[in-house]
Amino acid sequence: MQREHLKAICIELVLQIGIAAKELTDSEHVMSEGADTVKDSYIMDEFFNNNYHGTSDMNVLAKQLNMSVRQVGRKLQQTYGKSYREKMNECRLAVAIDLLSNTSKSFSEISEILGYDNPANFSNFVKRQTGRTPSQIRTSKSSQ
């Protein structure tokens, strides 16, 4: 009788260890996925912060993330709620506003920094995104 009781306790113990091991494996998997998400977000942030000048495309980002272009599109939508183009435009606009507000660089220089071949295209971009011209942005910042 004691032997049967001891055997039952051992079986229960093995089952509990198995359950604990599975939970640990599952939580490690979740933590690994979380780490991958943080790593991917970091890579995407760095990509946009360093490629706002327009020479890189989504294929370059896909290679950096070791994903397909389609997966990157879904990841961008999940992370930022934006498409590649929307996120790139957001970064370009932030840099444009910063350069217009805090430097004396000409519009032509700023448009070149942002990857525009023509300063008029840069001005149109800023006007479309903000409703104000680069000149208005520059003067509104200097008057504050």
Side-chain angles (χ1 to χ4, degrees), residues 92-93 95-112 114 116 118-143:
R92 282 188 181 132
L93 184 62
V95 171
I97 290 172
D98 182 54
L99 292 172
L100 288 166
S101 301
N102 300 312
T103 70
S104 59
K105 292 186 182 300
S106 70
F107 298 151
S108 181
E109 288 174 302
I110 295 172
S111 72
E112 189 177 317
L114 294 174
Y116 289 95
N118 185 340
N121 292 340
F122 163 69
S123 291
N124 289 336
F125 165 74
V126 172
K127 175 80 172 167
R128 219 177 22 257
Q129 296 292 319
T130 66
R132 300 181 302 163
T133 66
S135 298
Q136 290 170 327
I137 291 171
R138 178 163 276 166
T139 56
S140 72
K141 184 63 179 182
S142 63
S143 66

Side-chain angles (χ1 to χ4, degrees), residues 1-124:
M1 184 78 158
Q2 287 180 339
R3 181 174 269 193
E4 291 300 316
H5 185 59
L6 190 57
K7 188 176 178 182
I9 291 172
C10 287
I11 290 171
E12 179 67 25
L13 194 56
V14 167
L15 288 173
Q16 291 298 326
I17 290 171
I19 291 169
K22 182 174 179 351
E23 288 174 356
L24 182 60
T25 303
D26 289 347
S27 69
E28 285 175 350
H29 180 69
V30 167
M31 287 169 46
S32 169
E33 284 179 358
D36 286 346
T37 299
V38 169
K39 182 183 91 175
D40 291 348
S41 293
Y42 176 79
I43 290 170
M44 289 187 297
D45 286 342
E46 286 299 303
F47 176 84
F48 286 108
N49 289 334
N50 294 312
N51 292 289
Y52 54 80
H53 42 76
T55 57
S56 294
D57 63 11
M58 201 165 165
N59 291 316
V60 174
L61 179 57
K63 284 182 184 175
Q64 288 181 2
L65 292 169
N66 198 26
M67 295 180 182
S68 71
V69 170
R70 191 174 195 152
Q71 286 173 305
V72 170
R74 286 193 296 267
K75 188 75 163 176
L76 287 167
Q77 204 55 246
Q78 175 188 358
T79 304
Y80 301 111
K82 296 176 171 52
S83 68
Y84 176 85
R85 169 174 256 138
E86 290 168 333
K87 182 64 178 166
M88 186 61 76
N89 284 343
E90 178 184 90
C91 290
R92 282 188 181 132
L93 184 62
V95 171
I97 290 172
D98 182 54
L99 292 172
L100 288 166
S101 301
N102 300 312
T103 70
S104 59
K105 292 186 182 300
S106 70
F107 298 151
S108 181
E109 288 174 302
I110 295 172
S111 72
E112 189 177 317
I113 289 169
L114 294 174
Y116 289 95
D117 294 333
N118 185 340
N121 292 340
F122 163 69
S123 291
N124 289 336

